[in-house]
Amino acid sequence: IVVPIITTKISLAPTTMNRPLLISCLLASAGSISAFAPPQSSTVNYAIGRRRSTTPLFSAIVPPPEERSDANPSTKFGSPLSDGLKEANRWSIGFLKGTIFDTFFAGEDRAYARFYALETIARVPYFSYLSVLHLYETLGRWRRAKYLKLHFAESWNELHHLLIMEELGGNDRFLDRFLAQHIAFGYYGVVILSYLINPIFAYNLNQDVEEHAFSTYDEYLKENEEMLK
């Protein structure tokens, strides 16, 4: 059965009527931070009917009890971070914010360009996670579908943020696109290396990036509250 799908292009130009869409996008970014918290343990029913499935596909989606410690890439390959490493992550993100973003994207008319750059960079870690997890699966080291699904969904969420910023004109200038895309390319390699060494470190670094993005959006909303009403 073929189901026809009708697509409609909706203009998201920065008009007064479309500003609520921007607000929705900005607030939605806050939800990304919670994705990096370690999952809570829960009781899972591993039985299907009266038989417990032992097929590789089922165990990849719902690991059997004896392999629960392997269900999370952080517990499988990672190790806890010291306070010094966490502080180093926060410092590095703050340094980039102060030297690049606060300089290159300064000015009231540069808000959408700044948001475009943030969303371009914010998608990258999820691509890096997926690349490493696919590598582990290819080499037979680890195979779990949960985190492949999770990180793909997160990248898809960031894509829609990026599309909104592009429609608002954030990528109009060549230099803005050049800077954002080249930072993203370098960040992709950094996160892959970090994830291979210690997934917890990579997750913590991304959490700091997401918190920076949230604080940037929150500041913009407070400063432009009247205009956005």
Side-chain angles (χ1 to χ4, degrees):
I1 300 175
V2 178
V3 180
I5 300 176
I6 301 175
T7 59
T8 304
K9 179 176 177 57
I10 301 176
S11 174
L12 292 175
T15 63
T16 303
M17 294 181 62
N18 288 323
R19 282 177 182 143
L21 295 175
L22 171 63
I23 298 175
S24 299
C25 173
L26 305 185
L27 295 178
S29 298
S32 301
I33 299 175
S34 62
F36 305 100
Q40 301 296 321
S41 59
S42 58
T43 304
V44 181
N45 182 8
Y46 294 97
I48 300 180
R50 295 184 178 180
R51 295 179 55 192
R52 194 179 80 181
S53 174
T54 57
T55 63
L57 176 60
F58 185 82
S59 63
I61 299 173
V62 182
E66 62 270 16
E67 296 185 18
R68 290 184 188 181
S69 62
D70 294 348
N72 187 328
S74 295
T75 57
K76 174 65 175 178
F77 302 106
S79 57
L81 298 184
S82 65
D83 292 338
L85 278 177
K86 293 179 181 179
E87 185 60 34
N89 279 346
R90 284 191 291 269
W91 182 89
S92 63
I93 299 304
F95 176 79
L96 289 175
K97 175 184 180 295
T99 56
I100 296 180
F101 280 85
D102 288 348
T103 301
F104 193 79
F105 297 106
E108 294 182 0
D109 62 333
R110 302 287 288 149
Y112 293 138
R114 185 189 188 105
F115 298 157
Y116 162 77
L118 284 174
E119 296 302 342
T120 299
I121 297 168
R123 299 180 65 204
V124 167
Y126 309 115
F127 298 148
S128 300
Y129 304 157
L130 290 171
S131 297
V132 175
L133 293 177
H134 279 297
L135 176 63
Y136 285 156
E137 183 173 322
T138 301
L139 299 178
R141 293 194 62 192
W142 194 74
R143 180 181 294 164
R144 293 288 180 266
K146 176 181 178 180
Y147 279 83
L148 291 172
K149 294 178 179 179
L150 170 64
H151 294 319
F152 176 79
E154 289 168 331
S155 71
W156 191 253
N157 178 57
E158 297 292 351
L159 169 63
H160 288 81
H161 295 176
L162 178 62
L163 291 175
I164 291 175
M165 296 311 164
E166 289 177 348
E167 289 288 346
L168 290 170
N171 66 335
D172 285 350
R173 298 185 185 182
F174 169 78
L175 287 178
D176 293 339
R177 298 194 303 272
F178 182 88
L179 180 65
Q181 292 166 1
H182 282 73
I183 291 177
F185 180 77
Y187 188 35
Y188 175 77
V190 169
V191 177
I192 282 184
L193 183 60
S194 301
Y195 203 80
L196 284 168
I197 296 174
N198 187 354
I200 296 178
F201 179 86
Y203 287 138
N204 179 258
L205 180 64
N206 194 16
Q207 179 178 347
D208 291 333
V209 172
E210 291 287 353
E211 288 177 349
H212 160 60
F214 171 76
S215 65
T216 300
Y217 291 145
D218 185 58
E219 181 181 352
Y220 178 81
L221 290 173
K222 290 177 180 178
E223 292 179 353
N224 298 273
E225 182 177 0
E226 294 299 322
M227 180 190 70
L228 295 170
K229 285 184 178 179

